């Protein structure tokens, strides 16, 4: 399910339920629905997952100098009621992808699978 641009229901002022439905469709088409996958996107590590209830992108802190209690943070959450993006939560400019950016990234395969939830490494 390759996309050249976002569907109209994912633009500014989009209803969260419609955006979540787009994520569900994209994840289902890639066989990733209801799975957690560790990926690399734009040289950063993330854990992404999607179910019929929620999409979440979680940035993994790759810094060895961070404390054990700070492994990462959620950068994008979409559920039936809300769309939460890092750029809206941060007091500082954010370079994290928006919900629309994530949708295009996943639909177009613009990421590298590092590991599946079971810890298996992707060979392809």
């Amino acid at each position: 399910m390759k996309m050249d641009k976002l569907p109209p229901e994912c633009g500014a002022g989009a209803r969260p339920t419609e955006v979540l439905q787009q994520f569900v469709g994209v994840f289902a088409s890639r066989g990733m629905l209801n799975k957690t996958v560790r990926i690399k996107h734009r040289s950063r590590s993330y854990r992404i997952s999607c179910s019929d209830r929620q999409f979440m992108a979680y940035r993994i802190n790759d810094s060895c100098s961070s404390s054990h209690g700070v492994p990462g943070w959620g950068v994008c959450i979409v559920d039936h009621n809300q769309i939460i993006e890092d750029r809206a939560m941060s007091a500082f400019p954010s370079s994290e992808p928006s919900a629309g950016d994530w949708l295009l990234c996943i639909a177009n395969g613009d990421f590298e699978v590092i590991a599946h939830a079971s810890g298996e490494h992707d060979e392809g």
Side-chain angles (χ1 to χ4, degrees), residues 30-41:
R30 293 187 141 294
M32 295 170 40
L33 192 61
N34 298 316
K35 296 180 182 177
T36 299
V37 182
R38 186 173 174 166
I39 65 165
K40 186 79 84 168
H41 175 62

Side-chain angles (χ1 to χ4, degrees), residues 48-71:
I48 59 171
S49 62
C50 185
S51 69
D52 62 347
R53 296 177 54 163
Q54 180 183 53
F55 162 76
M56 182 169 184
Y58 183 87
R59 172 84 181 273
I60 299 168
N61 189 349
D62 291 325
S63 173
C64 295
S65 63
S66 69
S67 69
H68 179 68
V70 186

Side-chain angles (χ1 to χ4, degrees), residues 2-104:
K2 191 159 172 77
M3 293 183 179
D4 294 328
K5 61 182 182 174
L6 287 176
E9 57 270 16
C10 293
R15 292 182 24 194
T17 297
E18 294 170 341
V19 176
L20 180 59
Q21 288 173 350
Q22 290 293 320
F23 274 105
V24 169
V26 168
F27 270 74
S29 74
R30 293 187 141 294
M32 295 170 40
L33 192 61
N34 298 316
K35 296 180 182 177
T36 299
V37 182
R38 186 173 174 166
I39 65 165
K40 186 79 84 168
H41 175 62
R42 297 181 184 165
S43 301
R44 296 177 180 162
S45 298
Y46 296 91
R47 237 182 16 237
I48 59 171
S49 62
C50 185
S51 69
D52 62 347
R53 296 177 54 163
Q54 180 183 53
F55 162 76
M56 182 169 184
Y58 183 87
R59 172 84 181 273
I60 299 168
N61 189 349
D62 291 325
S63 173
C64 295
S65 63
S66 69
S67 69
H68 179 68
V70 186
W73 60 97
V75 295
C76 186
I77 301 168
V78 179
D79 64 26
H80 291 284
N81 300 310
Q82 60 190 348
I83 298 172
I84 301 172
E85 298 173 330
D86 186 67
R87 60 185 64 179
M89 296 183 295
S90 178
F92 302 100
S94 174
S95 61
E96 296 296 342
S98 68
D101 294 334
W102 277 114
L103 188 59
L104 287 173

